[in-house]
Amino acid sequence: MKHIYTGKTKNVYELEDGNYLLEFKDDVTGVDGVFDPGANTVGLTIEGAGLAGLKLTKYFFELLNEKGIPTHFIEADIDKKTMKVKPAETFGKGLEVICRFRAVGSFLRRYGLYATEGQPLDAFVEVTIKDDEREDPPISEDALDMLGILSKTEYKVLKELTQKIAGIVKEELAKKGIELYDIKFEFGRDKETNEIMLIDEISGGNMRAYKNGEYIEPLELEKLILEG
């Protein structure tokens, strides 16, 4: 097993069989000690966040695989806080894809002249470039195509997958009386088939969820979904 990358919330290792191992950490994104799934820096460390993130990720990825949605998930080892995944090629140096059901976070900061906090949005999809130096700027479909990052055909697939997966997560949360406000995904190309597939994770650390109008912290969200 060879360590190849240290990310904000995970360590990545290459395995002898050609697959990869993701080790979940307790670091979460945020600013000045306040959690923010849309932030591009590690804001704080929450004990148990890595384990909670892996449990939710395993739950949702297994559900998606059952529904025939392509993902990089192979298996997870809860005790070791690791997940075995298929190799994937990122789009450019990496993209993040957000699906928004309500106006909060960076959407509200950017469009506050027209949007009100919590305003319903119709599964609005936006793509940002993973670029810490430039604070992960949003990018349009045309620019993705012109810059050779993602073709227009691939963008259509990416958008459809994003809305479908977000819809599944939203339905699962609704069963527990929880409302999904927004969620962030990452995608890549399967190195064997070139198929676009979901990668990274689905956890409380990359979504905003509310119950009775109150925001749910990542660790509490895991408990409500898996134990509630």
Side-chain angles (χ1 to χ4, degrees):
M1 189 168 71
K2 178 183 177 184
H3 178 262
I4 60 168
Y5 179 71
T6 297
K8 296 183 183 73
T9 60
K10 286 180 287 295
N11 293 319
V12 182
Y13 300 87
E14 185 176 5
L15 301 172
E16 291 182 357
D17 64 4
N19 293 310
Y20 289 81
L21 195 73
L22 307 183
E23 180 184 35
F24 284 63
K25 302 191 292 185
D26 286 341
D27 296 335
V28 297
T29 56
V31 179
D32 296 329
V34 179
F35 169 72
D36 181 354
N40 61 355
T41 57
V42 172
L44 63 160
T45 299
I46 302 174
E47 186 177 353
L51 181 60
L54 177 58
K55 285 181 177 179
L56 269 186
T57 296
K58 178 178 183 290
Y59 175 80
F60 281 118
F61 271 93
E62 287 179 343
L63 178 63
L64 294 175
N65 284 354
E66 287 174 8
K67 294 179 179 291
I69 293 174
T71 78
H72 71 163
F73 179 83
I74 298 176
E75 61 185 14
D77 187 326
I78 298 299
D79 292 334
K80 294 181 179 178
K81 291 198 297 187
T82 60
M83 182 170 78
K84 187 177 181 180
V85 299
K86 295 185 288 186
E89 178 188 4
T90 60
F91 299 105
K93 295 182 179 180
L95 300 174
E96 292 182 341
V97 189
I98 303 99
C99 188
R100 302 184 183 277
F101 297 100
R102 286 191 179 271
V104 290
S106 60
F107 182 92
L108 189 63
R109 289 194 294 272
R110 279 185 266 125
Y111 308 123
L113 181 63
Y114 300 95
T116 57
E117 185 171 3
Q119 175 182 331
L121 302 173
D122 188 17
F124 172 72
V125 174
E126 65 178 345
V127 180
T128 66
I129 298 172
K130 293 186 75 171
D131 184 344
D132 292 345
E133 185 180 339
R134 295 170 180 81
E135 299 184 351
D136 296 352
I139 186 168
S140 69
E141 176 186 355
D142 285 344
L144 285 165
D145 181 52
M146 291 176 190
L147 295 174
I149 300 171
L150 187 75
S151 72
K152 292 199 173 187
T153 300
E154 288 177 319
Y155 180 88
K156 183 178 180 182
V157 173
L158 193 78
K159 182 177 178 180
E160 289 176 352
L161 277 174
T162 296
Q163 291 178 325
K164 187 172 184 178
I165 296 167
I168 291 170
V169 175
K170 191 173 191 291
E171 287 176 7
E172 286 298 304
L173 267 59
K175 292 176 184 178
K176 306 287 186 177
I178 300 168
E179 183 179 359
L180 179 65
Y181 274 32
D182 62 24
I183 187 165
K184 177 176 65 179
F185 300 122
E186 291 188 35
F187 293 88
R189 298 183 186 92
D190 187 316
K191 285 195 173 181
E192 288 190 3
T193 66
N194 212 37
E195 181 180 36
I196 294 177
M197 62 181 179
L198 183 69
I199 62 173
D200 196 45
E201 65 179 277
I202 300 179
S203 70
N206 59 5
M207 68 176 83
R208 288 187 182 88
Y210 288 70
K211 188 166 188 175
N212 300 323
E214 295 291 327
Y215 169 73
I216 306 170
E217 296 288 344
L219 268 67
E220 182 64 21
L221 182 63
E222 179 261 330
K223 292 176 184 175
L224 289 173
I225 295 174
L226 301 184
E227 300 172 14

